Amino acid sequence: MLTHPLTSQPASEFASDVRAGLTKPQKELLSKYLYDDVGSALFEVISLLPEYGLTRADERVLRQNAYEIVERLPLPMLVAELGSGSGRKTRWLLKALARRQHTAYCPIEISPTALAMCKRELGDIDSISIVGFEREYLDGLAEVTERRKGNQHLLVLFLGSTIGNFDRPAGLEFLRQIRRTLCPGDSLLLGTDLLKPVPQLIDAYADSLGVTAAFNLNLLARINRELDADFVLDQFEHVARFNAQARSVEMHLRSKRTQSVTIAAAGFSVKFWAGETIWTESSHKYSREEVYQMARDTGFRCEAQWVDREWPFAESLLVAE
Ligand code: AVI
């Protein structure tokens, strides 16, 4: 609810997105803004938590199956990764690839800090040269495809179930956009977290140490820091809930009382009712069959799938038709 505008000119895209999100009937903030330096560091900690098995499962499947995955890829091959993060889990694939060919690896990251971390983490692998792109995913991918030489195939990595942070139609549209940048025979290795019992999912997003709560609340702290706002953090609480219809875990920030907050650099104030929430993220969960169907719907075929037994998580090799 917009209570009184202070200025009419938002200072930045962040400011205008915050304003647009907090003036919707269901208040929301885009999940991409969770990842400033503090948020990215907190996410690294989340990936170590006992309750959050997703990142470890992703890495385990890649570690255990790297050679088999790489055996299926046509050479020569150029590798691009959308959102490399620290790069830790990609190491296994790159090491397996390096045994077959000298490989150019192009991580695409909006965060310069993550890009630097990824270069540090993977810089020691022989026969791999790293060319980082500080870009939005699709812009970066378009640039990578321009570097493709002669008969080189492209392998795009989209790991960590980042696709789950899109709603289902947007996820499909994103896969279609990736497909448009590829040639027939190019590949996409897609990581998707699979459905599991709801209590296990809730624990993963509401851990006992409160790290995920801090990750979520940091978004308000970031708005305070960057947009001169006056959110009082302990007047909001982290909530994780399962949306059965959407098959997603939603993160919200719930206002503990009726209150007003001013976001000076975005030029507005906003009122919160006690119990009202800001929706900050959805993590969609999939079935194995759904991934096959998603591939068919977006111009790929799912050639193979590897699943972690400990924490159901699928790595699917999609080939562009
Ligand atoms: C990055 N992404 C796949 C994570 C997820 O599980 O949706 C982000 C996250 N949010 C809370 N915990 C982890």
Side-chain angles (χ1 to χ4, degrees):
M1 180 193 306
L2 188 67
T3 50
H4 56 275
L6 303 175
T7 67
S8 53
Q9 279 291 306
S12 64
E13 196 179 326
F14 182 32
S16 57
D17 285 345
V18 167
R19 183 173 174 140
L22 293 184
T23 51
K24 289 186 173 172
Q26 165 62 68
K27 293 180 172 62
E28 64 180 47
L29 291 167
L30 299 178
S31 61
K32 67 177 180 179
Y33 292 120
L34 290 163
Y35 299 91
D36 64 348
D37 282 353
V38 177
S40 300
L42 286 168
F43 179 64
E44 287 296 312
V45 181
I46 288 173
S47 71
L48 302 173
L49 295 172
E51 294 98 328
Y52 188 81
L54 189 157
T55 312
R56 286 186 298 281
D58 192 15
E59 186 175 347
R60 213 163 29 236
V61 186
L62 293 173
R63 175 163 38 85
Q64 291 170 352
N65 300 288
Y67 289 99
E68 196 188 323
I69 295 171
V70 161
E71 281 300 314
R72 289 177 173 269
L73 301 172
L75 298 182
M77 172 70 70
L78 173 67
V79 181
E81 179 163 16
L82 308 179
S84 56
S86 71
R88 203 170 47 221
K89 53 187 178 286
T90 315
R91 160 174 290 275
W92 307 103
L93 275 180
L94 293 180
K95 281 182 80 169
L97 256 175
R99 299 236 307 221
R100 295 190 67 198
Q101 61 158 39
H102 181 98
T103 304
Y105 165 63
C106 306
I108 302 166
E109 259 295 341
I110 196 71
S111 150
T113 315
L115 212 49
M117 199 154 62
C118 167
K119 285 184 184 165
R120 263 198 315 275
E121 172 77 28
L122 301 172
D124 65 324
I125 308 177
D126 285 340
S127 296
I128 298 289
S129 43
I130 305 181
V131 187
F133 289 80
E134 197 184 313
R135 295 277 185 282
E136 298 274 352
Y137 294 156
L138 294 171
D139 295 341
L141 192 55
E143 283 188 46
V144 172
T145 56
E146 281 165 22
R147 299 174 67 95
R148 185 205 283 262
K149 293 189 200 95
N151 58 347
Q152 257 183 342
H153 297 274
L154 187 62
L155 167 66
V156 179
L157 306 176
F158 194 34
L159 306 175
S161 204
T162 304
I163 190 164
N165 298 132
F166 293 100
D167 64 30
R168 281 185 157 78
L172 288 177
E173 183 49 32
F174 189 69
L175 291 182
R176 277 187 203 103
Q177 286 176 306
I178 294 176
R179 171 63 191 86
R180 271 181 228 127
T181 65
L182 302 182
C183 300
D186 286 341
S187 315
L188 168 66
L189 189 65
L190 180 68
T192 48
D193 198 23
L194 300 179
L195 274 162
K196 39 189 75 61
V198 172
Q200 189 183 1
L201 284 174
I202 296 300
D203 284 353
Y205 291 85
D207 62 274
S208 51
L209 259 182
V211 183
T212 310
F215 172 68
N216 200 6
L217 281 162
N218 175 57
L219 184 44
L220 303 186
R222 178 179 183 182
I223 297 172
N224 283 350
R225 288 191 292 271
E226 295 183 24
L227 299 179
D228 193 17
D230 58 3
F231 280 103
V232 178
L233 298 196
D234 67 8
Q235 293 305 328
F236 289 85
E237 62 191 352
H238 168 70
V239 178
R241 57 168 85 131
F242 186 68
N243 181 330
Q245 212 184 353
R247 283 164 286 145
S248 68
V249 183
E250 294 181 356
M251 293 205 312
H252 290 253
L253 290 163
R254 182 161 52 211
S255 175
K256 292 186 186 170
R257 59 175 171 86
T258 297
Q259 56 184 316
S260 268
V261 174
T262 298
I263 297 134
F268 74 108
S269 292
V270 60
K271 182 166 180 175
F272 293 91
W273 302 109
E276 187 179 7
T277 72
I278 311 173
W279 177 20
T280 52
E281 187 187 64
S282 288
S283 288
H284 293 80
K285 306 300 169 187
Y286 304 88
S287 68
R288 295 179 64 169
E289 302 68 39
E290 186 179 0
V291 180
Y292 277 87
Q293 188 59 47
M294 286 159 69
R296 284 193 288 272
D297 290 344
T298 56
F300 292 95
R301 73 168 189 284
C302 182
E303 195 178 282
Q305 204 174 57
W306 296 267
V307 175
D308 188 58
R309 289 211 189 92
E310 230 177 281
W311 177 279
F313 184 98
E315 223 68 79
S316 305
L317 183 63
L318 312 192
V319 178
E321 297 259 64

